[in-house]
Amino acid sequence: MRIDFRLFGYRTFAVREEDALAFLEECQRVGFVPKNPKRCEKTGEIRFAASLFERRKIRLLKVAVREVGTGGLPILFRRLIGRPGLIFGIAAALFLLIFSHLFLWDIRVSGCESITEGEIEEALAEAGVYRGAFLPRTEMDGAILSVREKDERIGYLSINRRGTVAFVQLREAKIETSREEVRPANLIATADGIVTLPMIYAGECLVREGDAVRAGQILAAGVTQSEKAGGNLTRAAGQVLAKTTHTYRVFVPFSYEAKTPEGRAKTVREIKFFNKTIKLYKNPPEKDEKCDIIEETRYFTFAGVKLPIAVHSIKKAPYTSVMRQRGEREAWQIAVKESETLLGAEKSAYAILEKSVAREVSAEGVTLTTTIVAEENIAAVAEIETK
Amino acid sequence: MPKKRDFLARIGAKLDIPREALPGGFGLFMSGQNEIIVRGYRKILRYGREEIELSLGKTRLNIEGEDLFCTLLTAESVTICGNIRRLTFCAGEEYAH
């Protein structure tokens, strides 16, 4: 197709083969030159093109002419105007193509051991290096110095920028523990109990099997006395197993506050682009009502790479509080369940020797008292302050 | 009228002017056996896949062949493509349908 047709637009028409002679005569009469004539092998029709400016001449032809297609830039633009989403997409693509290399798109942190990537990203953001930062105004060296000065745990930090991605390499500082080890310390009891097995590796053991000890009492001393060397400071170490008693109380009231969902849950969505938040629509005014709030942020990914665009949704589910009553049996079941959960969490800390359960029913509710006799290590390090 | 035509023909020959440039003249240009450009035609008398007949004023040009097709039609010239087999000139201004 001719370039002027592409630029200014064209229409293609078809004429039946039987009307070809009449059509050519009409063309001669009107002064119209059919462009790009072709014979359609399927239908046997003669197809030709005409520019948009030749509409009048086509109308003057006294032969049945059928329009079969359109093309060219004006037609394309007319189609695009009807699709604003596509125009917006093209504009956004052009914008990204031109300006995207000026912004930092991603930060990739490597070398984290005890410090989390989130902490590093937060520290970098405070120093001016964040997703969406304007690169010509971002000072990487200054940010490195600032982050290293603020956090003692960072031994070495470097930022290598490749395109629009900042690769952060981190080496954590090794905290010397050797000095702490030589600090003198006692071993003290963390709970009341009866000593069953003292195992002291360093320091002077001050308790024996069968001794009753109170919380805070010294079990092994870091200060040792000898006739030859006199007073000597050491760091007491070891374990002292003792029989201890633990009491857990669970109270379940008969009357309780229950949540009843009221009305429809409303979800407000926002677009997060780098650090900017764009509200998709105007939020309705907040009402004074009790509601559960569930927030969720979903980042878009492309070929496994996290993009700096996310949809942040805040779901508000309103509810009303209603006072309800429960029976003794139900309260008892809840109390047993809660008690088991409580014990399960602390099971790893000691070995249970005895267990007794006491039930008490009052007008307000049910109280479940669980008493545990267990064997556990009650020794804890308490450093001695020296000048 | 014939005298005038003869006069124009003689002038054309003397001045070395192509015949199709003079009133009533026509010219044929063939490009291989598949394309023919006819200048100074008056009218298309017959149009078909195997035969196209053009009026050239006093004479008629009959083009015979296969898959004949008019690819360009202007007020002065017509271009016909296809497998051209025979060209025939006949006397007579108009073809009687």
Side-chain angles (χ1 to χ4, degrees):
Chain A
M1 194 58 70
R2 287 158 47 162
I3 189 134
D4 57 330
F5 273 36
R6 294 256 182 234
L7 282 174
F8 302 113
Y10 65 92
R11 286 174 195 276
T12 48
F13 298 92
V15 181
R16 286 187 303 166
E17 200 171 20
E18 303 90 80
D19 298 335
L21 182 61
F23 169 68
L24 293 171
E25 275 178 4
E26 282 296 305
C27 286
Q28 213 178 356
R29 182 180 69 79
V30 173
F32 169 67
V33 181
K35 311 315 182 295
N36 203 23
K38 277 175 191 167
R39 182 182 282 131
C40 181
E41 292 301 328
K42 278 185 185 173
T43 57
E45 287 177 323
I46 291 167
R47 291 195 173 183
F48 63 96
S51 74
L52 294 182
F53 308 112
E54 291 175 312
R55 248 175 287 170
R56 221 183 112 253
K57 286 181 182 176
I58 296 285
R59 254 181 256 144
L60 288 172
L61 293 174
K62 287 176 184 171
V63 187
V65 173
R66 188 167 63 89
E67 190 182 314
V68 288
T70 52
L73 281 178
I75 306 285
L76 186 73
F77 283 136
R78 215 174 293 163
R79 280 180 195 159
L80 283 178
I81 286 164
R83 300 175 71 179
L86 202 62
I87 293 176
F88 176 77
I90 292 167
L94 283 171
F95 178 82
L96 288 173
L97 201 70
I98 297 163
F99 297 108
S100 64
H101 70 282
L102 297 173
F103 296 93
L104 188 66
W105 280 76
D106 200 8
I107 298 169
R108 290 177 199 173
V109 184
S110 62
C112 286
E113 287 173 22
S114 60
I115 309 170
T116 61
E117 288 183 16
E119 283 177 308
I120 295 296
E121 284 185 19
E122 266 178 38
L124 285 169
E126 278 176 27
V129 180
Y130 51 89
R131 285 186 182 85
F134 187 56
L135 285 171
R137 285 187 193 166
T138 307
E139 280 188 28
M140 296 291 181
D141 295 337
I144 292 167
L145 282 173
S146 165
V147 172
R148 281 174 66 176
E149 276 173 14
K150 278 182 185 171
D151 201 332
E152 285 179 355
R153 296 173 298 167
I154 300 168
Y156 169 78
L157 184 91
S158 74
I159 305 172
N160 297 311
R161 189 165 67 82
R162 285 181 217 154
T164 56
V165 179
F167 290 88
V168 179
Q169 283 183 319
L170 177 79
R171 217 24 89 74
E172 288 183 20
K174 281 181 184 171
I175 298 160
E176 288 180 10
T177 53
S178 55
R179 270 182 71 193
E180 282 184 15
E181 280 169 5
V182 294
R183 277 185 191 169
N186 293 324
L187 283 183
I188 58 163
T190 53
D192 298 349
I194 296 162
V195 177
T196 53
L197 181 63
M199 295 181 286
I200 302 300
Y201 316 125
E204 191 184 341
C205 183
L206 301 177
V207 288
R208 284 185 201 165
E209 192 181 329
D211 284 359
V213 291
R214 306 281 297 177
Q217 187 180 326
I218 298 172
L219 302 172
V223 184
T224 53
Q225 293 282 341
S226 75
E227 287 176 3
K228 288 179 183 174
N232 188 26
L233 287 172
T234 185
R235 190 178 179 84
Q239 287 186 348
V240 177
L241 298 181
K243 202 186 264 187
T244 55
T245 308
H246 299 269
T247 307
Y248 301 99
R249 258 189 202 90
V250 176
F251 174 69
V252 180
F254 291 135
S255 61
Y256 65 99
E257 201 179 85
K259 285 180 183 177
T260 310
E262 194 185 56
R264 277 182 64 189
K266 287 167 193 166
T267 308
V268 178
R269 286 190 178 86
E270 296 167 343
I271 295 283
K272 268 192 173 183
F273 186 64
F274 291 116
N275 291 344
K276 304 272 183 298
T277 305
I278 305 154
K279 285 182 179 174
L280 287 179
Y281 43 83
K282 210 175 176 183
N283 291 347
E286 293 280 329
K287 287 178 188 172
D288 288 333
E289 56 183 10
K290 288 178 180 176
C291 60
D292 287 325
I293 298 170
I294 305 152
E295 290 193 34
E296 190 184 25
T297 307
R298 277 188 184 180
Y299 279 90
F300 291 100
T301 54
F302 179 73
V305 179
K306 193 171 100 177
L307 297 175
I309 306 167
V311 176
H312 180 68
S313 58
I314 305 156
K315 189 178 178 181
K316 289 183 178 177
Y319 65 84
T320 47
S321 299
V322 183
M323 288 307 286
R324 284 191 185 161
Q325 293 289 322
R326 60 163 77 93
E328 192 187 320
R329 195 178 167 188
E330 192 189 345
W332 170 250
Q333 282 172 346
I334 293 167
V336 169
K337 211 175 255 181
E338 277 185 26
S339 176
E340 278 173 3
T341 314
L342 207 64
L343 287 173
E346 293 196 19
K347 232 175 195 176
S348 59
Y350 49 69
I352 297 170
L353 302 173
E354 285 173 43
K355 181 183 169 185
S356 61
V357 179
R359 179 182 166 180
E360 191 186 322
V361 182
S362 65
E364 286 82 32
V366 172
T367 309
L368 179 73
T369 311
T370 311
T371 309
I372 300 284
V373 177
E375 191 176 50
E376 64 177 311
N377 176 27
I378 57 165
V381 175
E383 286 178 355
I384 304 164
E385 282 186 19
T386 52
K387 285 184 182 176
Chain B
M1 199 65 175
K3 275 183 184 174
K4 189 190 171 188
R5 296 228 174 195
D6 292 340
F7 170 73
L8 285 171
R10 268 185 282 128
I11 290 288
K14 289 267 184 202
L15 298 173
D16 203 18
I17 298 169
R19 190 67 187 89
E20 71 266 21
L22 295 169
F26 65 88
L28 299 181
F29 302 90
M30 275 199 82
S31 175
Q33 207 187 327
N34 298 95
E35 190 181 81
I36 183 168
I37 301 164
V38 183
R39 281 185 172 181
Y41 82 103
R42 300 283 186 281
K43 198 176 176 184
I44 299 171
L45 301 172
R46 195 184 292 178
Y47 188 86
R49 283 190 185 212
E50 289 172 355
E51 189 185 11
I52 292 174
E53 197 166 45
L54 305 173
S55 164
L56 303 171
K58 218 176 177 182
T59 53
R60 284 181 281 123
L61 171 64
N62 191 275
I63 305 160
E64 283 176 64
E66 287 166 10
D67 270 336
L68 297 178
F69 185 66
C70 172
T71 55
L72 185 68
L73 178 90
T74 64
E76 298 85 32
S77 71
V78 60
T79 306
I80 291 155
C81 287
N83 191 11
I84 299 163
R85 271 206 312 249
R86 189 161 58 181
L87 297 176
T88 317
F89 289 96
C90 317
E93 201 166 330
E94 292 284 320
Y95 175 77
H97 288 280

